[in-house]
Amino acid sequence: MTGDVPVRNRVQIVPLGFEYARLREPILYWKADVVVAIEYAESEQEIPFLSALLDELEQNERIELERRECDLFELYDALGTITKAITDYETDDVYVNLSAGSKITAIAGMIACMASGASPIYARPDYGPDGEQIPDEPLHDGVAEVFALPTYPIDRPSNTHVAFLARIEAGTTPETHGRYHGVPKKELIEFALEEEFDFVVRSETTSQKGYYRLLDRHVIEPLVERGYVEIEQVGRRKFVSLTPDGENVLRAFRHFIE
């Protein structure tokens, strides 16, 4: 063994859209070793210039092409798909091209980069020295839908918090607790002990009351503050359930614990 440090691949994650040069040129300019092309999952229509680009990449012996799909117009689907791709190549140099896809995809890509340390890149279009490439007409004649986008914190939830969100989701079933919605705190304490999370392993607490305090301090209170879970008290029992924001966050970051 020589002890040489493995060479890091240059990986570009490229959401596809109605672009060609703005996708192709960064791949060639930065000499990408791996290209993760993210296609629109709902599209059944072939776009010739995108097919040509993918064919060119597949035939390039130096480049490894991987194709994935998501809804490019749904923030959390795009965010989950991009962050999963970043995680899959976390030992490499990862770049995310924000030039195509949809505007929503670009937002998702930037959030994913800020949460993970991947590098966002953008290829500015060339309209020519005299602007002769500027369209004479609007690019779109109609609007399919108008909707608000959710705000999102810059720092992603920790793996511990994601694990608890997943446990709460799995345990929130009508069959388990009848009309009560959510998971009792007692079950979350049992989950913490079974999985041996740091906040219980490193504590000297052995009493049930102590475990409740640890759970509140390290899990419940931070998740409530972020608006990811809500608490319902029924008698002496407290049931924890996911909010819509908690469901979306789990959807985007579940892969960190899988």
Side-chain angles (χ1 to χ4, degrees), residues 21 33 36 63 69-70 79 82 99 174-175 193 201 230 247:
D33 301 298
V36 181
I63 296 175
E69 293 184 346
C70 76
L79 179 57
I82 294 171
S99 307
E175 294 79 11
L193 293 171
V201 171
E230 56 189 8
E247 293 173 355

Side-chain angles (χ1 to χ4, degrees), residues 16-17 19-21 23-24 27 39 46-60 65 67:
L16 302 182
E19 299 284 353
Y20 176 77
L23 303 180
R24 180 178 183 272
I27 292 170
E39 304 175 75
E46 181 179 351
I47 302 173
F49 56 84
L50 288 181
S51 297
L53 174 62
L54 294 173
D55 288 343
E56 179 184 350
L57 295 177
E58 286 180 344
Q59 294 170 18
N60 190 317
L65 175 65
R67 299 170 69 164

Side-chain angles (χ1 to χ4, degrees), residues 97-108:
N97 190 335
L98 307 181
S99 307
S102 68
K103 296 295 191 297
I104 293 174
T105 317
I107 294 169

Side-chain angles (χ1 to χ4, degrees), residues 152-153 155-169 183 185 188 191 197 199 214-231 239-250 253:
Y152 200 81
D155 55 329
R156 73 168 182 86
S158 67
N159 289 0
T160 295
H161 286 167
V162 175
F164 274 91
L165 292 176
R167 175 62 182 83
I168 293 168
E169 179 193 56
V183 178
K185 280 190 176 182
L188 296 180
F191 174 65
F197 288 103
F199 71 89
L214 287 174
L215 180 73
D216 284 340
R217 184 184 315 128
H218 293 277
V219 178
I220 302 301
E221 291 174 1
L223 293 180
V224 168
E225 288 176 4
R226 289 190 169 194
Y228 297 160
V229 302
E230 56 189 8
I231 312 297
F239 290 82
V240 186
S241 59
L242 300 184
T243 64
D245 281 348
E247 293 173 355
N248 285 328
V249 165
L250 177 60
F253 295 109

Side-chain angles (χ1 to χ4, degrees), residues 1 9 33 43 54 59 62 68 73 75 82 98 116 122-123 134 167 169 180 213 216 218 234 249 254:
M1 294 181 62
N9 282 326
D33 301 298
S43 177
L54 294 173
Q59 294 170 18
R62 191 186 61 78
R68 304 189 184 191
F73 297 94
L75 179 65
I82 294 171
L98 307 181
S116 66
Y122 181 81
I134 296 177
R167 175 62 182 83
E169 179 193 56
Y180 302 130
R213 289 176 178 170
D216 284 340
H218 293 277
V234 181
V249 165
R254 184 193 298 272

